[in-house]
Amino acid sequence: MKYNEYLKVLDEALEKLPFKPGVVGEACRYHLSSGGKRIRPVLLLHFAKDTEKALPFALALELIHNYSLVHDDLPAMDDDDYRRGQETVHKKYGEAIGILAGDALLNTAFEILLEGIAKNPTRERIQAAREIGHCAGIYGMIYGQELDMDESPKVEEMIHYKTGKLFEAAMMAGGLLGKKENLEELLEFSRIFGLLFQITDDLQDLDEDIENNKVTFVTKNREKETRDFIQKLSKKAFLYCEKEKDDFLKELVEKTVNRA
Ligand code: GRG
């Protein structure tokens, strides 16, 4: 399947989620429909191969990603007013609703995961769900956020957890569902991809980050060093894509690298 075809399946399924009528549900919908790239669930579906069976896992991962953004924007965290070109959830609906909407997105994720597993409770599906929970949790993305709150964090380690772990979840859960061989190699690729994704994202935001005194890989290292590091990482990533003869993945790496 092509990226846009995955996107259509995901957007349609996300739209159908039965959020309870009321302001928290409205805030969840507001954020979910604001034009995210859906790259994590697309990766999961790509490796899982059977889109229909893997859909609950992909949706859960996208919901977790969205919860993390809603909470990351809160006044106690990054205190951002805009995300994806529109007002952040707390800016539009107030801080309390921002907290509740993030919580609701996270809980809905695990509800969908469990419903999906209950329909077909195989060992791989249980392992894939555990992988998603672990990577999103206190040994994964949450720990990354904890590191980010440090005054001078070790940036590469912070990226590994804060951004990298959800990419790890996407590819490892997808790989498990698709019964992929050599998961260790996929794990290594996912970690390289997570770094590439965040560093290229940071390069795009460089001026704004300097203005706000934000510590990122690029503000800690110089732009030239950053670009050299991207070259080094992308070489490894392309080698994996070639070995796997995976043109879809290669195109995704190209798009990620070229945005910086
Ligand atoms: C539990 C209070 C509490 C907060 C959790 C863990 C966390 C807050 C936040 C970390 C999430 C974060 C902002 C990670 C940075 C990763 C990143 C580059 C996100 C943007 O990803 P894209 O570009 O976003 O895929 P779109 O908008 O396309 O979905």
Side-chain angles (χ1 to χ4, degrees), residues 35-40 62 65-69 71-72 74 77-78 83-84 136 141-142 144-145 162-163 167 197-198 201 259:
K37 293 182 287 299
R38 318 280 191 229
I39 185 165
R40 296 158 191 80
E62 183 63 11
H65 166 62
N66 278 268
Y67 120 77
S68 81
L69 300 181
H71 277 188
D72 194 52
L74 285 170
M77 298 277 168
D78 273 5
R83 158 121 10 225
R84 298 171 177 158
M141 179 180 71
I142 301 256
Q145 185 72 358
K162 181 172 158 159
T163 307
F167 283 107
F197 190 86
Q198 184 61 62
D201 192 73
R259 68 191 182 146

Side-chain angles (χ1 to χ4, degrees), residues 2 5 24 37 49 52 60 71 93 163 166 204 218 253:
K2 297 205 170 81
E5 292 168 330
V24 178
K37 293 182 287 299
K49 300 204 168 78
E52 202 185 320
H71 277 188
Y93 295 96
T163 307
L166 283 200
Q204 288 181 308
V218 197
V253 176

Side-chain angles (χ1 to χ4, degrees), residues 42-58:
V42 166
L43 278 163
L44 189 151
L45 293 176
H46 171 67
F47 285 107
K49 300 204 168 78
D50 186 331
T51 298
E52 202 185 320
K53 283 194 183 149
L55 193 57
F57 295 80

Side-chain angles (χ1 to χ4, degrees), residues 14 17-33 89 93 97 100-102 104-105 108:
L14 287 166
L17 290 179
F19 286 110
K20 194 176 190 303
V23 68
V24 178
E26 186 189 318
C28 290
R29 287 200 181 288
Y30 168 78
H31 191 262
L32 278 175
S33 63
V89 173
Y93 295 96
I97 299 299
L100 290 177
L105 291 165
T108 306

